[in-house]
Amino acid sequence: MKKNKIKVIGLFSGCGGLDLGFKQAGYDLIWANDILKDACDTYRLNIGGHIVNEDITKIDLNTIPNADIIIGGPPCQGFSGIGKRDPNDNRSALVYSYLDVVNKVQPKIFLFENVTGIKSSKAADGSKVIDNLKQAFENIGYHINIFTLNAADYGVPQRRKRVFIIGNKLGVDISVPPQTHFENKEGKRKWISSFEAISDLDSPTENGETKYKHQPKNEYQTLMRKNADKTTLHIVPYSSPTDKQIISHVKPGGNYMDIPDSVSTKRIMYFKSTGGRTTTYGRLDPEMPNYTINTHFNRPNIGCNIHYEEDRMITIREGLRFQSFPDDFQLISKTQRNYYVQVGNAVPPLLSKAWAEHLLKYLEDIPSPKAIHIAKSLESQTHKPELVNEYAFANAENHTE
């Protein structure tokens, strides 16, 4: 099956980070959805006009086309209300809207992305949300694998951990994409540092447009600048006089503990007394990837958002760089807030692309039911489950129906 023939539906797409990775890998994106108008406008500008701006719970499932893959990450709100469900329950949780679309479309594979907190979340009845989700997807015919991946391991300059639930109707265990970058491993590509990610960007300007400081100095900068000759959205976020004073005391790689008591707010003093907030009032370490970019990266007290060298918060463009969006990717927003919401909520496109390229081997060389049956018989005889995938894929072309 050719990549441009593999049809993809995106749910809860936002500005399109997850969708963009599949587009970059050559897939055919045919339908998408999000409730935020600004995000949909951004998506149309950069990815395609096939996105529908509507509440997913109000969409007629019969209007959604058939596809080979469904991708998306429902917002985590409402997880506490997910329990062991019966047909009469109120299906208000958005995750179950995702499930409903999967059940209606019946794709070969679906990719469900979410925050790591989903693994520890409990439902109202005390059961684990992740277990309930797995069971719900299995009930509609999907084989499930669950993984936690760090975006930094896939060339994204950000230590962003996310959970991926991967479901398939092929009857196989789908593995994780092969890791491409490493924190500490001789002879392997290292994690992309904050300096490597943004050091070619000049100081911000009033209108956010500026030429690059110099030629690309590394593979990542070259990739981000592939179709761009200047930067945009590179405007210094506003900081209060108090925040500016506080920022000036934080050293590279440091946090609120660097701030003298004489200029610390009551909140900072409370943090100092209780501890445990590594990224609060954090300044980038130029030798390490950033921590997770959130939807408030214009503020110093939520996340590691202070530039490693200049006494300022990182810009929207720098946030996009840390998320691995290319420099020709533009944002549309009627409010300042929604710029940060779109960037912070996105799945890094490079992580998405790693998934997209990895899934090709399952879609291009699909084992037949007969091959899978023989492989499972082999497992029962040898007690080696890894032979199921090995045999089934090796004999995919030799066992046809």
Side-chain angles (χ1 to χ4, degrees):
M1 187 183 292
K2 293 182 179 179
K3 285 186 286 185
N4 59 6
K5 298 295 184 182
I6 302 175
K7 299 187 182 302
V8 180
I9 285 174
L11 302 177
F12 306 96
S13 293
C15 70
L18 192 56
D19 302 52
L20 181 60
F22 276 76
K23 181 178 180 179
Q24 290 173 337
Y27 287 71
D28 181 17
L29 281 77
I30 61 170
W31 195 89
N33 161 259
D34 200 80
I35 196 171
L36 184 64
K37 185 179 184 304
D38 286 342
C40 290
D41 290 341
T42 294
Y43 189 107
R44 290 188 188 97
L45 178 66
N46 296 277
I47 300 174
H50 54 267
I51 191 166
V52 176
N53 178 206
E54 181 57 275
D55 182 339
I56 190 66
T57 65
K58 297 178 181 178
I59 290 177
D60 181 356
L61 298 185
N62 293 313
T63 65
I64 301 176
N66 292 326
D68 302 292
I69 300 180
I70 289 179
I71 60 176
C76 59
Q77 293 91 339
F79 280 160
S80 61
I82 300 173
K84 295 177 181 177
R85 307 194 64 84
D86 66 53
N88 298 315
D89 277 347
N90 177 9
R91 299 166 69 82
S92 60
L94 291 174
V95 64
Y96 277 92
S97 293
Y98 185 105
L99 180 88
D100 286 341
V101 176
V102 170
N103 194 28
K104 177 66 172 65
V105 175
Q106 293 287 305
K108 297 180 180 73
I109 292 174
F110 72 81
L111 183 66
F112 176 108
E113 178 267 353
N114 227 281
V115 295
T116 56
I118 194 175
K119 294 194 298 183
S120 58
S121 294
K122 294 288 185 69
D125 62 0
S127 58
K128 294 185 69 173
V129 165
I130 196 77
D131 293 339
N132 296 336
L133 281 175
K134 182 175 183 292
Q135 185 63 57
F137 284 122
E138 287 175 344
N139 287 346
I140 62 172
Y142 283 87
H143 182 79
I144 302 299
N145 295 103
I146 302 173
F147 305 104
T148 300
L149 300 185
N150 187 344
D153 293 339
Y154 297 90
V156 179
Q158 184 186 170
R159 286 165 281 184
R160 185 187 191 95
K161 291 184 178 180
R162 288 294 183 265
V163 170
F164 290 89
I165 302 175
I166 184 87
N168 77 87
K169 280 187 167 293
L170 313 177
V172 299
D173 283 322
I174 292 181
S175 62
V176 295
Q179 186 175 342
T180 58
H181 293 70
F182 299 82
E183 182 177 8
N184 292 303
K185 198 163 186 180
E186 284 297 322
K188 299 288 187 178
R189 284 196 290 183
K190 294 182 179 180
W191 279 354
I192 306 297
S193 71
S194 296
F195 181 83
E196 291 171 319
I198 64 172
S199 60
D200 62 321
L201 302 180
D202 213 335
S203 294
T205 62
E206 287 188 11
N207 66 3
E209 292 188 9
T210 179
K211 294 289 186 180
Y212 294 104
K213 188 184 298 185
H214 49 64
Q215 291 297 312
K217 298 284 185 167
N218 56 61
E219 181 183 3
Y220 188 78
Q221 292 177 5
T222 299
L223 180 63
M224 293 298 100
R225 292 165 56 169
K226 184 177 179 180
N227 298 310
D229 57 7
K230 64 179 180 180
T231 53
T232 56
L233 300 169
H234 195 41
I235 308 167
V236 182
Y238 169 79
S239 294
S240 69
T242 299
D243 280 346
K244 287 180 180 178
Q245 185 180 27
I246 287 171
I247 286 170
S248 67
H249 290 284
V250 182
K251 66 179 184 293
N255 58 19
Y256 65 96
M257 293 299 292
D258 297 324
I259 303 166
D261 291 352
S262 59
V263 298
S264 292
T265 62
K266 287 183 179 179
R267 190 167 186 238
I268 293 173
M269 292 302 292
Y270 174 75
F271 291 160
K272 287 184 179 183
S273 67
T274 56
R277 296 168 177 83
T278 304
T279 64
T280 303
Y281 288 95
R283 187 188 284 268
L284 296 168
D285 182 341
E287 297 182 359
M288 291 293 291
N290 196 359
Y291 289 99
T292 300
I293 289 286
N294 56 48
T295 61
H296 295 281
F297 65 91
N298 59 320
R299 295 165 55 181
N301 61 329
I302 304 178
C304 185
N305 304 317
I306 305 172
H307 192 274
Y308 55 77
E309 186 174 65
E310 301 179 10
D311 287 337
R312 62 172 177 82
M313 307 305 297
I314 60 174
T315 68
I316 296 168
R317 177 54 61 189
E318 288 167 335
L320 286 163
R321 276 282 185 102
F322 285 123
Q323 283 279 57
S324 75
F325 282 94
D327 288 356
D328 64 338
F329 192 93
Q330 300 300 321
L331 295 174
I332 296 178
S333 181
K334 291 183 172 60
T335 68
Q336 191 72 11
R337 175 79 189 120
N338 279 346
Y339 281 114
Y340 295 92
V341 167
Q342 290 181 67
V343 178
N345 279 339
V347 176
L350 280 184
L351 177 55
S352 171
K353 186 180 180 184
W355 268 116
E357 292 176 342
H358 180 63
L359 292 178
L360 280 176
K361 76 174 185 178
Y362 298 95
L363 291 161
E364 291 179 336
D365 196 20
I366 300 173
S368 71
K370 184 176 180 181
I372 294 170
H373 174 74
I374 295 173
K376 287 187 175 179
S377 296
L378 184 63
E379 176 191 354
S380 65
Q381 297 171 28
T382 63
H383 303 290
K384 294 183 177 180
E386 67 273 11
L387 292 181
V388 175
N389 285 357
E390 182 180 332
Y391 177 88
F393 280 100
N395 293 276
E397 294 181 358
N398 297 328
H399 294 280
T400 57
E401 297 300 307

